Amino acid sequence: MAMRAEYIWIDGTQPIPYVRSKTKIVPDGTTEFPIWGFDGSSTNQAPGDNSDCVLRPVFSCPDPIRGGGDVLVLCDVCLPDGDLTPHPSNTRAACVEAYEKYADQEPIFGIEQEYTFFEGIAPLGWPDNGFPAPQGGYYCGVGSDEIFGREVVNAHLEACIEAGLHISGINAEVMPGQWEFQIGPVAAPLIGDEMWLARWLLYRIAEDYIGPKGMPISATLDPKPVAGDWNGAGCHTNFSTIAMRESFDACVAAAEALGAPGKPELHIANYGPGVELRLTGAHETQRFDQFSFGVSDRGASIRIPWQVEKAGKGYIEDRRPNANVDPYVVSQLIIETVCTAASK
């Protein structure tokens, strides 16, 4: 007997990488998955005259689409040098290094992934001409005049649960056709592993659905899918260390560390292409070129939830990352910035 292992990896396309996958047939009951190769010249990861790249499995889970004993196998990309040196496009390696350096502080993350469904060239549920009613009733709404794509969202939620991912919630977002799912709380690099798998599942499941106009539904992480007076799409990142989970002062210190000289610019530069289109100071954002933090302030760069202040301990929320941010990069940067400051 044999089983199907869907090898999934992140390519080298810039400025926004794609998720790629292909199927390997392995013996039934396999738990240690072998390395595999692929044509890096077709994924912007190698030249045509030296095109081999290596897939190294780093995480596996049940395949909720094929079912049975089939599995999803997330891989990082390595060079074909015999030493499995991380490929330059491999951002997971730096994330692992940052976590291992500060593992004693027990950093954990919860990431809120916003995304937008499209049918053709327009967001799902939008009229052929003009715009829908202004924002207001869509957020966590109910009813066919407010909500578009719920069947895809529910199928994605069920798939994430069946895969064993740490999915912790879903909700409709502020713009019609826009949704969110949350992964965590988990440590790095697992937060990035599960986020990339959840994204792959979202794209793959949407393939099976047709919209009311008769065209396929797709999901996009575009941070500003519609220009004008419409919310963008973010990837709000919640973070804590053991000290923060025990002290409100440590939460404030973490927010201050993220605002230290040079740090806002470093983070913004790595929080996803088009971040300046979304972080305008409107639509529940702080401007990309300004930094602030505050309790219960969704217009701040860093929000400290009201219940954290009340409890005197907890976590902070970095509201700046784009929907298209690399979760390995955002978790690496937050660990390095906050944990380095805390260790001084």
Side-chain angles (χ1 to χ4, degrees):
M1 295 292 291
M3 55 189 280
R4 292 166 291 188
E6 190 72 14
Y7 276 49
I8 300 168
W9 74 97
I10 297 92
D11 79 358
T13 302
Q14 295 294 329
I16 303 171
Y18 294 163
V19 188
R20 309 271 185 160
S21 72
K22 62 177 184 172
T23 306
K24 186 174 183 64
I25 307 303
V26 298
D28 192 31
T30 298
T31 56
E32 296 292 330
F33 298 95
I35 62 171
W36 202 13
F38 70 96
D39 172 17
S41 68
S42 297
T43 64
N44 300 297
Q45 288 168 301
D49 60 355
N50 187 20
S51 62
D52 288 326
C53 289
V54 178
L55 295 175
R56 175 174 57 185
V58 295
F59 179 81
S60 64
C61 64
D63 184 341
I65 297 173
R66 288 175 170 146
D70 294 333
V71 293
L72 304 179
V73 181
L74 183 72
C75 305
D76 62 1
V77 179
C78 299
L79 298 173
D81 58 4
D83 296 322
L84 295 180
T85 302
H87 189 275
S89 66
N90 180 343
T91 57
R92 187 180 189 274
C95 179
V96 171
E97 183 178 353
Y99 177 79
E100 290 178 347
K101 182 176 181 180
Y102 295 106
D104 61 318
Q105 296 190 37
E106 299 182 16
I108 60 174
F109 294 85
I111 295 185
E112 307 168 24
Q113 176 69 71
E114 295 177 344
Y115 60 94
T116 308
F117 285 131
F118 268 68
E119 182 183 6
I121 63 172
L124 183 65
W126 285 44
D128 291 329
N129 298 298
F131 295 92
Q135 297 181 159
Y138 307 110
Y139 174 71
C140 296
V142 63
S144 59
D145 56 338
E146 308 285 359
I147 294 302
F148 311 99
R150 193 184 295 276
E151 59 267 72
V152 191
V153 172
N154 285 338
H156 176 251
L157 173 62
E158 185 64 26
C160 288
I161 292 172
E162 291 181 12
L165 305 185
H166 292 85
I167 190 163
S168 49
I170 58 171
N171 61 268
E173 267 301 332
V174 176
M175 191 183 84
Q178 194 175 77
W179 292 81
E180 172 184 300
F181 65 85
Q182 302 99 37
I183 297 288
V186 294
L190 185 58
I191 185 64
D193 297 342
E194 294 199 10
M195 182 59 67
W196 278 115
L197 279 178
R199 287 175 173 180
W200 183 89
L201 283 168
L202 177 65
Y203 301 146
R204 171 60 188 83
I205 287 169
E207 289 178 11
D208 296 337
Y209 288 84
I210 301 297
K213 300 174 186 176
M215 292 180 285
I217 294 174
S218 62
T220 175
L221 305 185
D222 191 318
K224 191 67 175 178
V226 180
D229 193 19
W230 301 96
N231 272 38
C235 203
H236 302 154
T237 301
N238 302 285
F239 170 77
S240 73
T241 61
I242 189 170
M244 296 165 67
R245 296 189 289 273
E246 296 175 350
S247 165
F248 180 73
D249 288 344
C251 295
V252 173
E256 292 174 339
L258 290 166
K263 295 302 182 182
E265 294 80 6
L266 171 65
H267 284 247
I268 287 294
N270 290 280
Y271 273 9
V275 70
E276 72 283 354
L277 302 176
R278 175 177 144 265
L279 299 183
T280 62
H283 305 112
E284 301 178 298
T285 69
Q286 175 58 282
R287 284 184 54 87
F288 71 95
D289 55 359
Q290 297 180 18
F291 180 87
S292 64
F293 70 89
V295 174
S296 197
D297 186 357
R298 281 180 164 77
S301 309
I302 307 296
R303 180 179 71 95
I304 302 176
W306 68 269
Q307 64 268 36
V308 171
E309 182 183 48
K310 183 176 181 180
K313 58 184 179 181
Y315 66 97
I316 62 174
E317 176 194 42
D318 191 337
R319 297 183 56 79
R320 297 170 296 172
N322 266 355
N324 59 11
V325 76
D326 183 335
Y328 294 133
V329 171
V330 69
S331 53
Q332 172 209 337
L333 285 173
I334 292 176
I335 288 172
E336 290 177 342
T337 295
V338 175
C339 294
T340 299
S343 64
K344 292 180 179 178

